[in-house]
Amino acid sequence: MKQDAAEDNTNFHRRKSIPPYMKAISGSLGGIMEASCLQPIDVIKTRLQLDRSGNYKGILHCGTTISQTEGVRALWKGLTPFATHLTLKYALRMGSNAVLQSAFKDPETGKLSGYGRLLSGFGAGVLEAIVIVTPFEVVKIRLQQQKGLSPELLKYKGPVHCARMIIREEGFRGLWAGVAPTVMRNGTNQSAMFTAKNAFDVLLWKKHEGDGKVLQPWQSMISGFLAGTAGPICTGPFDVVKTRLMAQSREGGELKYKGMTHAIRTIYAEEGLLALWKGLLPRLMRIPPGQAIMWAVADQVIGLYERRYIQAAL
């Protein structure tokens, strides 16, 4: 009887699991919405991080300067690779996290420990950093650092042309410039984000995965916003170093930064400790709202699946 009860309990939890492909779909739809809304903040963040001479006095000054000198459209530079990158990144992030969480669940109870949740998030972050984030961000940053809108004056004419030029001049490895700090940044970010999002859902709304309860979009936005705040503060130096490594090219001689550790030391020596957190405010203006938008969409898609297929089967 006890064995039958245990089997029933295990089957119950397995039945409640949301398949990874559904998580991937929800993430990709959320990514499209996020990219469309928040691209200008990402452009400003990149320009501030690449500003070594103090041309920009802050977020508003940077945005105003770009609009006045290059046109409003310049604030959406790199939107195509950014939107594609977010869509694919969130699909891989949500899907791989679901697969890893399934692997870390207790086979008897179907429960996931806090340690397993952290590791699942870190693994998903590392995977997305290597497969998707690094090459897309290299292209995006090279496009964003170009000033002006006249195609004939720009080195890179578009995302595809940019990728081809990088491969031609720097080899395929050029598309993975800055991969080490990107892995550290994304692994840490996702480990914290998935853990925090689950904790806020339970703490604020008493929402547990598979319980059939669908959060209102504003509830998902609050949980997502709060979950997205810790990562940027903890991983600021990795993000600055990643941007510097991705922005430099071999054109005109030797590379200024030889790698992640050398870049951290060089930036600290030349610009001071706070330079390692350059662009933090625009990151905080982009990432938490981005997570709020993404989770508002993703939770609705996942909630619809829970109501139709999971709760109906119970």
Side-chain angles (χ1 to χ4, degrees), residues 134-210:
T134 302
F136 273 93
E137 289 212 359
V138 167
V139 171
K140 182 198 70 167
I141 286 170
R142 296 287 179 91
L143 289 171
Q144 287 180 347
Q145 72 177 339
Q146 298 185 126
K147 298 182 179 179
L149 284 173
S150 302
E152 64 273 8
L153 300 177
L154 300 178
K155 176 178 179 179
Y156 305 117
K157 313 304 181 187
V160 176
H161 179 259
C162 179
R164 285 176 178 169
M165 287 288 289
I166 292 170
I167 293 170
R168 186 182 308 155
E169 295 176 354
E170 306 168 44
F172 276 99
R173 288 181 62 186
L175 288 173
W176 274 266
V179 66
T182 307
V183 162
M184 292 302 298
R185 183 198 67 171
N186 283 58
T188 305
N189 267 343
Q190 301 329 310
S191 183
M193 189 273 292
F194 279 110
T195 302
K197 175 61 168 61
N198 178 75
F200 284 123
D201 281 350
V202 174
L203 181 66
L204 297 176
W205 322 119
K206 310 299 183 208
K207 161 67 181 168
H208 298 267
E209 183 175 315

Side-chain angles (χ1 to χ4, degrees), residues 26-294:
S26 71
S28 64
L29 293 175
I32 293 171
M33 182 66 73
E34 178 186 338
S36 303
C37 296
L38 300 178
Q39 173 69 0
I41 296 176
D42 196 70
V43 171
I44 292 171
K45 182 212 79 168
T46 299
R47 290 289 183 90
L48 285 172
Q49 289 182 337
L50 296 174
D51 180 27
R52 298 176 194 161
S53 54
N55 292 325
Y56 303 121
K57 309 306 179 187
I59 296 171
L60 292 177
H61 180 258
C62 180
T64 303
T65 303
I66 293 171
S67 299
Q68 290 176 346
T69 59
E70 305 172 49
V72 176
R73 283 191 301 131
L75 290 171
W76 273 267
K77 273 186 176 180
L79 177 60
T80 301
F82 186 53
T84 305
H85 150 239
L86 276 188
T87 302
L88 295 176
K89 178 176 75 172
Y90 283 141
L92 179 60
R93 175 189 298 176
M94 299 286 278
S96 62
N97 182 69
V99 170
L100 290 170
Q101 284 191 355
S102 296
F104 283 116
K105 281 181 179 178
D106 187 305
E108 294 297 323
T109 65
K111 291 182 178 179
L112 180 68
S113 67
Y115 184 67
R117 196 178 299 278
L118 282 168
L119 285 179
S120 298
F122 190 85
V126 169
L127 186 60
E128 73 179 18
I130 296 172
V131 176
I132 292 172
V133 175
T134 302
F136 273 93
E137 289 212 359
V138 167
V139 171
K140 182 198 70 167
I141 286 170
R142 296 287 179 91
L143 289 171
Q144 287 180 347
Q145 72 177 339
Q146 298 185 126
K147 298 182 179 179
L149 284 173
S150 302
E152 64 273 8
L153 300 177
L154 300 178
K155 176 178 179 179
Y156 305 117
K157 313 304 181 187
V160 176
H161 179 259
C162 179
R164 285 176 178 169
M165 287 288 289
I166 292 170
I167 293 170
R168 186 182 308 155
E169 295 176 354
E170 306 168 44
F172 276 99
R173 288 181 62 186
L175 288 173
W176 274 266
V179 66
T182 307
V183 162
M184 292 302 298
R185 183 198 67 171
N186 283 58
T188 305
N189 267 343
Q190 301 329 310
S191 183
M193 189 273 292
F194 279 110
T195 302
K197 175 61 168 61
N198 178 75
F200 284 123
D201 281 350
V202 174
L203 181 66
L204 297 176
W205 322 119
K206 310 299 183 208
K207 161 67 181 168
H208 298 267
E209 183 175 315
D211 63 4
K213 180 179 180 180
V214 181
L215 296 179
Q216 293 296 317
W218 65 269
Q219 293 175 312
S220 297
M221 292 183 80
I222 290 174
S223 292
F225 186 94
L226 293 173
T229 54
I233 297 172
C234 298
T235 62
F238 293 126
D239 193 61
V240 171
V241 169
K242 168 200 73 73
T243 301
R244 296 285 181 92
L245 290 173
M246 289 178 174
Q248 66 180 359
S249 66
R250 296 186 181 275
E251 182 181 36
E254 296 237 345
L255 296 175
K256 179 178 176 66
Y257 306 115
K258 313 301 182 186
M260 179 174 70
T261 305
H262 179 259
I264 291 174
R265 288 203 305 261
T266 303
I267 294 169
Y268 173 73
E270 294 181 355
E271 304 172 52
L273 181 64
L274 290 180
L276 290 169
W277 275 269
K278 270 189 173 182
L280 176 61
L281 190 54
R283 278 191 84 204
L284 287 173
M285 288 177 64
R286 198 202 75 71
I287 293 177
Q291 290 302 299
I293 294 168
M294 192 281 292

